[in-house]
Structures are given as structure tokens and as C-alpha cells.
Amino acid sequence: MNAVEHDVLVAAALDFPPLMTWEDVMQDEREDRLGFARRATLALLTQSGEQLVAGFAGSNRRALEGAMKAVALFQAHLQEMEQLAGMAERRLQRVGETLAAAD
């Protein structure tokens, strides 16, 4: 088998059936908006610039707006979690100081 035949076989072997339909994706977004935003953000980071431009070109411009909203939602969530983690850290420090003073 030559290299070209091998490459064709590998490409055919990687042609996986889709795991989700578009309706599954939309249902996922409705049921778990934050999880969807997290997954969308991470998925966008796996694509090249060329793939993103091609994917959002033409009639898919509305999807670009949706992706931007999903990323913004996830970013807002992360900022809130950062604030809460800071508050929890300060509380733990006070607990540690109280325990140290009691010894």
C-alpha cells in the first residue's frame, strides 16, 4: 500500500458519525446555558482562524453573534467565580488566624 492509499484509509476511518444533531445542541443550550457556554468557549479555542472564518461566513453570521454571547456569558461567570473564590479564601484565612490565636 502506498502513502496516498494509506492517507485515504486513515481519513475514511476518521469519518465519525455525528454525536449530536443540531436539535440536540440547541436543547443542550436551553437546558444548561452555562455548560453550553463553557463548552462553546473551549471548542472555539480548538479551531484555527481559517476554520472559524469559514464556519461563520455567509449565512452563518447569526451563529457568530450567538457564539460571542456564549463566550461573554462564560466570561461573566468566571469573573463572578473569581470574586467568590477570593471571598472564600479571605474567610479561610480568618479561620486560620482564629485557630492560630486559640493555640
Side-chain angles (χ1 to χ4, degrees):
M1 175 183 312
N2 66 33
V4 174
E5 289 174 352
H6 178 70
D7 290 344
V8 171
L9 291 176
V10 169
L14 293 178
D15 189 17
F16 300 112
L19 297 176
M20 299 177 79
T21 65
W22 184 248
E23 183 55 37
D24 293 334
V25 172
M26 292 293 91
Q27 182 176 349
D28 184 38
E29 181 180 17
R30 287 188 297 271
E31 292 176 358
D32 181 13
R33 288 189 66 224
L34 184 57
F36 179 82
R38 178 185 56 79
R39 290 185 295 279
T41 300
L42 296 175
L44 287 165
L45 295 174
T46 67
Q47 304 297 308
S48 71
E50 288 178 359
Q51 290 171 318
L52 290 171
V53 169
F56 291 120
S59 64
N60 212 12
R61 295 269 173 111
R62 286 187 54 197
L64 176 60
E65 293 173 19
M68 292 173 77
K69 288 178 182 178
V71 170
L73 174 66
F74 187 55
Q75 184 178 33
H77 170 72
L78 290 176
Q79 289 169 345
E80 182 181 5
M81 292 298 100
E82 183 179 26
Q83 290 174 337
L84 293 174
M87 291 168 53
E89 182 179 39
R90 287 187 293 280
R91 291 185 84 182
L92 290 171
Q93 287 171 347
R94 286 196 303 260
V95 168
E97 290 166 1
T98 301
L99 292 173
D103 286 339

